[in-house]
Amino acid sequence: MPDSPEGIFVEKPGTEFGALRKGRPATREESRAVGRRLYDGAITTGIAEDVDALDEDYIQNTGWTPNGRHYFGNAWAIGSGAMPDGLAIQTHVVSENDRVASISVWDGTITVSGAAVDFASANFLRIEDGVAAEHWDTVDYVRLYQSFGLLPENI
């Protein structure tokens, strides 16, 4: 895919989704448990250090945050500050071997504006050696941006 220098995020090529990995293979049950631990960690608590479910060399294959579990945890701590009552509820989870796919709905209130948050995301994880080594996602950015007042409601 060619660069889009005028885009919202700096784009980077991600890791090939089907590439071979260096770590031990994961079972379906282990992958599902790691995905749950990830949500129960920094995503839910808003505590930047709650990233035990992520590999030290965690790879973020989308543009919203750099690679590394430190950045992941900090991003969720900032988000929690903007929406302390926020919840991410996994409504669908599918796991097979070292892959987990989940759909989540997000709900809460923006502290500054009092606006309600209501959007969905799909997340895909690759599990290696008992932790999430890699992440791909897609978010309903129209609904998210409307929640933060960045887009009008009538779009």
Side-chain angles (χ1 to χ4, degrees), residues 2 7 21 44 68 90 149-151:
R21 308 298 175 211
T44 297
Q90 289 179 299
L150 301 172
L151 283 176

Side-chain angles (χ1 to χ4, degrees), residues 29 91 102-103:
E29 294 76 19
T91 59
S102 69
I103 296 174

Side-chain angles (χ1 to χ4, degrees), residues 60-143:
Q60 174 70 39
N61 284 297
T62 51
W64 70 273
T65 191
N67 294 339
R69 72 185 197 173
H70 168 79
Y71 293 108
F72 182 93
N74 284 341
W76 287 108
I78 291 166
S80 180
M83 190 176 64
D85 68 344
L87 292 173
I89 300 166
Q90 289 179 299
T91 59
H92 298 80
V93 178
V94 177
S95 62
E96 189 63 38
N97 300 323
D98 68 344
R99 305 302 166 114
V100 179
S102 69
I103 296 174
S104 302
V105 293
W106 300 76
D107 190 18
T109 311
I110 305 295
T111 303
V112 173
S113 67
V117 172
D118 178 20
F119 67 95
S121 71
N123 294 275
F124 308 92
L125 302 170
R126 181 180 59 79
I127 309 304
E128 186 174 283
D129 294 330
V131 291
E134 203 161 358
H135 177 224
W136 298 260
D137 66 29
T138 186
V139 176
D140 179 356
Y141 283 109
V142 171
R143 294 286 300 268

Side-chain angles (χ1 to χ4, degrees), residues 141-155:
Y141 283 109
V142 171
R143 294 286 300 268
L144 175 63
Y145 292 164
Q146 286 171 332
S147 296
F148 278 88
L150 301 172
L151 283 176
E153 290 293 324
N154 61 355
I155 290 182

